[in-house]
Amino acid sequence: MNPTPLPQAFEYLRPFDEWALASVQERMHKRIDSDFDDLKRFYDTFLPNFKDAVSHLNNFSLEEMPDAEKNLFRIAASFIEAAVAVELLGVPDEPSAYPIDKIDVERASIR
Amino acid sequence: MNKPTPANPLRLSTDYPELGTAPLDITRRFTSDYFDLERTKIFSKTWLWLAMAYDLPNPGDYVVKELEHAKASIILVRGNDNQIRGFHNSCSHRTNRVAYAPSGNAPKGFTCRFHGWNYGTDGTLNFVPQDDLFPELDLSCNGLTPVATDLWEGSIFINLDPEPEETLAEFLGEFANSYAGFFDGMEQACAYSVEVNANWKICIDAFVETYHFAFVHQSTAAGVLTSKDNPYGRLEICRLYDKHRVVSARANTGYTPTPTEAVIASLGMQQTLNPDFAQAAENRLPEGINPAKLNDWATDILVLFPGTVIYPWTGWFEIMNFIPVSHNKTRWEMRIGMQPATNAGTWLSQEYNSTLIRDVVRQDWTNLEMIQQNIESGAKKEMHLGDQEIMLRHQYDVVDRYINSK
């Protein structure tokens, strides 16, 4: 299988390319199924450069994004999930939170 | 910034002594018998929020909404003449449904899959296969059954009463003109829905007070609405209308954004729970929003009776709709509307907000099912409502008024 293409400046995210997920359902499930340490590693790696990544992506149209940027965009969207878990919750998911499987979500995917 | 309001712990209810401060009797308000009264006297008589006009951008676009409390399936459709109409989803032949998908585009209207009767987007019965079999059938008076449908500020409301006692504008009353233009240009960023095993009033109750914030939402949203001045995130400036009501929430002006929120803010793409006060000052909100003109205003909680809650934030909104399925089950839908994302940055800002709000409301739902179960157990005969819960007290008062009407 070809590796997920990434913009060259963001090759450091290669270890986290499994977070290049198009739909919010995939992203939220990956977050709650992850170990907190893995979320923290993802978060700690991306946070210092998150602003640069967003600035880079802002140069591209949402409608016609090259594959490499699209993957970066998807990883950035997953970073949002990880950030909520790491910065606010302190766990991948709060045990008392209403089960995520019971909630329907409508949100445009990154296609 | 405003000085903190002198601590009057009873500030919301001072102007409304008629509501009293007594505990609320809960022995009969949540039973299936009571729900039958609510179905017929409230949900079949009042205007109900159902969708946003932006759900139906093009002629032929439709959505189908299930209203279990009336056993009704309702089609909302933008006609080929661009007008939005509502119809019962029922064929004039032998009453089968004519629309089967939850949404879609049907420029040629709706065709019953039972025998092929076809209706236009304006509800007209257009075609009956072998119509010579029906010597007495007059196509012109056998269209889809219309449902009273009207719009307010980009929201679509229906009324199941074939002859509504008042127009939507009359029903909304005095504040209706004071939101002009607020929703313009916004579109759906995200929507959530869930069926919760709790009575519809119990569900609404959890979303119209902030007394619970410091406890339920300690890990998530408490920081943006509680502050040194206002450690419990107390609400301000309650206005109780005839049936509806609004209260304002103050923001934490000393809030320290998380590192991710700081990036979002630094890129000027902030549409989040933590208001951008500079932007808020520039942003001219319609008169009815932030009615007391608080400098540290975060949002209002506007409840449209019976079951819709609108939170207008600076430049974006949430609308929650609570549809009773039975006396102990509610379908909740939440719309998050924002200016359309123009680049990855604004899209990610929406993603942050939608994700955070999702995890905030997930903290609420677990409690509500436990509350429902305990009410059904009969362990308690009453609940206590404090000053900060005046929005609940008024809701029960209005429900009582409808239930006790003729």
Side-chain angles (χ1 to χ4, degrees):
Chain A
M1 226 172 76
N2 290 331
T4 309
L6 286 169
Q8 197 148 28
F10 299 93
E11 270 296 329
Y12 69 89
L13 290 170
R14 172 71 47 206
F16 306 100
D17 62 1
E18 65 196 31
W19 286 97
L21 300 169
S23 74
V24 68
Q25 284 82 3
E26 295 169 287
R27 294 190 295 271
M28 68 190 194
H29 279 285
K30 179 144 176 71
R31 180 191 106 190
I32 65 176
D33 293 342
S34 291
D35 289 337
F36 189 73
D37 289 347
D38 292 335
L39 289 177
K40 184 84 168 54
R41 209 168 298 123
F42 173 38
Y43 172 85
D44 287 341
T45 304
F46 202 173
L47 177 68
N49 302 296
F50 183 61
K51 189 172 174 178
D52 291 343
V54 178
S55 299
H56 175 78
L57 290 172
N58 280 348
N59 296 321
F60 296 86
S61 148
L62 284 173
E63 284 75 36
E64 294 169 54
M65 204 171 266
D67 283 349
E69 274 68 25
K70 206 177 285 177
N71 285 320
L72 178 62
F73 191 13
R74 290 170 175 170
I75 295 173
S78 290
F79 173 80
I80 298 292
E81 287 281 356
V84 169
V86 171
E87 294 175 349
L88 298 172
L89 306 180
V91 284
D93 202 30
E94 291 180 324
S96 60
Y98 201 73
I100 206 139
D101 290 332
K102 292 190 181 178
I103 301 179
D104 282 334
V105 186
E106 275 178 47
R107 166 89 171 136
S109 291
I110 303 173
R111 298 284 175 206
Chain B
M1 291 294 152
N2 279 4
K3 288 277 181 218
T5 309
N8 170 11
L10 304 181
R11 58 181 171 268
L12 298 185
S13 44
T14 302
D15 291 341
Y16 303 100
E18 65 277 13
L19 288 178
T21 52
L24 182 82
D25 181 344
I26 58 170
T27 56
R28 58 183 196 93
R29 293 175 192 274
F30 304 102
T31 63
S32 60
D33 286 350
Y34 197 81
F35 181 59
D36 282 340
L37 293 172
E38 291 175 333
R39 282 166 10 99
T40 52
K41 293 192 164 189
I42 297 173
F43 288 93
S44 299
K45 291 287 177 189
T46 56
W47 287 90
L48 306 174
W49 185 97
L50 223 52
M52 297 299 290
Y54 63 49
D55 296 337
L56 309 171
N58 302 306
D61 285 348
Y62 70 91
V63 291
V64 176
K65 297 288 178 182
E66 304 302 327
L67 298 179
E68 290 86 348
H69 53 78
K71 300 205 183 335
S73 174
I74 304 295
I75 303 172
L76 298 175
V77 55
R78 185 181 289 276
N80 293 330
D81 59 359
N82 225 20
Q83 192 181 327
I84 292 174
R85 297 179 179 85
F87 301 103
H88 283 278
N89 185 8
S90 180
C91 183
S92 301
H93 177 215
R94 278 161 59 190
T95 79
N96 192 29
R97 290 189 178 187
V98 298
Y100 308 98
S103 64
N105 180 267
K108 293 184 178 164
F110 305 97
T111 302
C112 179
R113 63 162 66 135
F114 202 176
H115 304 88
W117 289 33
N118 172 267
Y119 303 83
T121 56
D122 62 354
T124 307
L125 176 55
N126 283 333
F127 177 69
V128 173
Q130 304 175 65
D131 62 350
D132 53 351
L133 297 174
F134 300 89
E136 291 195 22
L137 178 71
D138 179 354
L139 267 64
S140 70
C141 51
N142 278 285
L144 295 174
T145 304
V147 176
T149 303
D150 204 352
L151 281 98
W152 173 75
E153 296 298 332
S155 282
I156 307 172
F157 292 75
I158 62 130
N159 192 318
L160 291 166
D161 189 340
E163 291 177 25
E165 285 166 10
E166 50 192 349
T167 65
L168 175 61
E170 288 164 350
F171 176 74
L172 292 175
E174 52 195 301
F175 69 86
N177 292 328
S178 64
Y179 278 69
F182 175 73
F183 301 90
D184 292 358
M186 290 197 252
E187 62 179 40
Q188 180 156 310
C190 192
Y192 295 105
S193 66
V194 61
E195 279 196 3
V196 176
N197 294 315
N199 181 273
W200 65 281
K201 301 184 295 295
I202 294 296
C203 294
I204 293 177
D205 288 353
F207 295 95
V208 298
E209 49 90 356
T210 50
Y211 182 43
H212 72 286
F213 253 65
F215 303 94
V216 175
H217 303 309
Q218 196 169 25
S219 62
T220 52
V224 296
L225 294 182
T226 60
S227 63
K228 223 168 77 183
D229 290 347
N230 188 20
Y232 296 105
R234 282 185 182 171
L235 299 165
E236 302 282 348
I237 319 293
C238 174
R239 294 189 183 181
L240 305 182
Y241 303 111
D242 180 45
K243 305 177 259 297
H244 318 291
R245 64 207 73 104
V246 66
V247 70
S248 294
R250 292 167 57 199
N252 175 8
T253 55
Y255 177 68
T256 307
T258 66
T260 303
E261 288 167 343
V263 171
I264 287 173
S266 73
L267 289 165
M269 52 192 201
Q270 190 161 358
Q271 292 181 318
T272 61
L273 293 174
N274 174 36
D276 177 337
F277 293 101
Q279 187 200 337
E282 280 172 31
N283 196 322
R284 292 233 181 114
L285 292 167
E287 197 54 34
I289 295 179
N290 184 15
K293 306 301 161 209
L294 300 169
N295 289 329
D296 56 353
W297 177 78
T299 188
D300 292 337
I301 304 172
L302 172 68
V303 180
L304 303 183
F305 187 80
T308 305
V309 183
I310 299 179
Y311 306 82
W313 299 77
T314 301
W316 63 281
F317 67 87
E318 295 164 80
I319 295 182
M320 294 185 180
N321 200 37
F322 299 79
I323 300 173
V325 175
S326 69
H327 73 287
N328 57 9
K329 183 176 277 201
T330 301
R331 192 170 56 259
W332 165 91
E333 300 171 347
M334 176 168 68
R335 305 298 200 88
I336 300 175
M338 294 181 166
Q339 299 294 333
T342 50
N343 57 22
T346 45
W347 196 96
L348 289 164
S349 166
Q350 295 185 349
E351 184 77 356
Y352 183 83
N353 205 20
S354 303
T355 302
L356 176 56
I357 291 171
R358 180 196 74 210
D359 284 347
V360 170
V361 297
R362 289 177 62 221
Q363 295 178 318
D364 292 296
W365 291 125
T366 311
N367 284 342
L368 306 189
E369 295 195 340
M370 292 192 273
I371 291 169
Q372 178 65 37
Q373 194 191 337
N374 279 341
I375 287 176
E376 291 187 26
S377 80
K380 299 286 184 190
K381 308 292 179 212
E382 56 189 28
M383 339 177 138
H384 296 273
L385 301 178
D387 177 81
Q388 283 283 311
E389 292 155 313
I390 190 171
M391 300 282 276
L392 287 68
R393 198 178 281 283
H394 186 239
Q395 171 82 349
Y396 287 102
D397 191 63
V398 179
V399 170
D400 280 351
R401 213 193 311 152
Y402 273 88
I403 296 298
N404 295 329
S405 66
K406 50 180 164 77

